[in-house]
Amino acid sequence: MALEIIVPVFNESAILERSILRLADYLSRELLYSWKITIADNASTDATGSIGRELADEVPNVSYRRLETKGRGFALRDAWTSSEAKVLAYVDVDLSTDLAALPPLIAPLLSGHSDVSIGTRLGRTSRVVRGPKREFISRSYNLILKRTMQVQFSDAQCGFKAVRAEVAHRLLPYVEDNCWFFDTELLILAERAGLRIHEIPVDWIDDPDSRVDIRQTAMDDLRGLVRVASSMVKEEFLWRRYTRSWDEDL
């Protein structure tokens, strides 16, 4: 299996069938290598489960996984850990990102050119349609991330990412967050480990019916940043103290 795409869902019965059929149709037409779609249901309480199971029964190369714990990070961790594909990816169920960006997202990973690949809505050639509130919060968060963590990647929150399987299996044990900050923490760890992160500009249209609380998500992400930054400062302090003690012993 070359590629497995995870679609994490929580109470998405209204759009799940339409989105999965659209995604499967695109992959069937555009990809020449083997692929699979996995619906990763993290504790939905509506009809998402029954719809997901029906899709898995009726649509080729579509499977359904049920997790009794809420959290996008939990869903991705569970599905990625169980996958046998060479490249692991995920897309948001609303398919806000234009699927035309999928082949260039995956290509550098299959070729071995890169370790992680992400879509960015902040590239010069990206075309983004969303409200001013979401635009402001997203840009502010990514600016804070760059200033505090000194990262080079531009967009941590776009729900359009892929990683080589062996890289994911190495990084996942060190990712503590299991909710929305999961993406950011994974990317910070990847960059600090010297892994190759490939970015592609994407066209992205905001889903007006999205039930994601963007403000609460941003606050949770900021708390995650504080945790990771504090951990890194502590590690740096301990390392410097250790090396100083080592030098004194010499």
Side-chain angles (χ1 to χ4, degrees):
M1 181 69 63
L3 170 67
E4 182 168 357
I5 300 179
I6 313 302
V7 184
V9 293
F10 173 74
N11 289 352
E12 297 288 359
S13 59
I15 64 171
L16 179 58
E17 181 176 6
R18 180 173 70 252
S19 293
I20 295 300
L21 292 177
R22 177 184 161 198
L23 178 59
D25 177 67
Y26 177 85
L27 297 176
S28 297
R29 289 185 290 103
E30 300 296 333
L31 299 193
L32 300 178
Y33 43 82
S34 56
W35 56 268
K36 174 183 178 181
I37 299 170
T38 295
I39 303 166
D41 182 359
N42 48 301
S44 291
T45 56
D46 64 357
T48 293
S50 60
I51 296 172
R53 283 185 284 270
E54 288 178 7
L55 288 167
D57 290 338
E58 298 172 4
V59 183
N61 300 332
V62 173
S63 66
Y64 170 83
R65 294 180 68 89
R66 168 78 182 187
L67 193 65
E68 297 300 334
T69 306
K70 185 180 177 182
R72 183 176 66 174
F74 276 120
L76 291 174
R77 185 189 301 274
D78 174 69
W80 281 359
T81 301
S82 303
S83 177
E84 297 181 356
K86 294 179 180 179
V87 172
L88 309 172
Y90 94 85
V91 299
D92 286 340
V93 68
D94 58 15
L95 301 183
S96 292
T97 304
D98 189 337
L99 292 176
L102 195 54
L105 181 82
I106 304 303
L109 304 183
L110 289 175
S111 69
H113 176 272
S114 301
D115 301 301
V116 181
S117 189
I118 65 174
T120 177
R121 297 161 294 184
L122 303 178
R124 285 180 296 178
T125 59
S126 300
R127 292 185 294 179
V128 177
V129 178
R130 61 179 166 184
K133 178 182 176 181
R134 290 182 67 101
E135 180 76 8
F136 174 77
I137 292 176
S138 179
R139 286 187 175 273
S140 297
Y141 173 72
N142 281 291
L143 178 61
I144 293 171
L145 176 61
K146 276 184 168 291
R147 293 287 178 84
T148 57
M149 305 303 297
Q150 302 298 307
V151 297
Q152 298 302 310
F153 53 85
S154 64
D155 190 353
Q157 295 175 309
C158 183
F160 198 76
K161 296 181 175 70
V163 58
R164 291 196 296 119
E166 63 267 31
V167 171
H169 295 157
R170 286 165 52 199
L171 289 176
L172 286 175
Y174 300 98
V175 180
E176 296 184 25
D177 191 84
N178 286 303
C179 297
W180 293 101
F181 187 65
F182 176 92
D183 299 47
T184 301
E185 189 167 4
L186 183 77
L187 290 175
I188 292 173
L189 292 173
E191 187 168 288
R192 287 181 65 86
L195 299 177
R196 299 162 298 176
I197 300 177
H198 178 72
E199 285 193 330
I200 62 164
V202 299
D203 294 344
W204 192 86
I205 299 177
D206 186 24
D207 177 11
D209 296 324
S210 174
R211 286 174 285 107
V212 175
D213 187 335
I214 186 66
R215 179 174 296 180
Q216 184 60 49
T217 299
M219 293 301 297
D220 292 342
D221 284 350
L222 290 175
R223 281 191 285 268
L225 276 180
V226 171
R227 173 179 57 78
V228 171
S230 299
S231 177
M232 289 180 176
V233 168
K234 181 179 179 181
E235 289 175 4
E236 181 69 18
F237 171 75
L238 291 175
W239 174 250
R240 288 183 179 179
R241 187 172 67 177
Y242 170 78
T243 54
R244 184 168 60 249
S245 175
W246 176 261
D247 292 338
E248 290 172 353
D249 290 343
L250 291 177

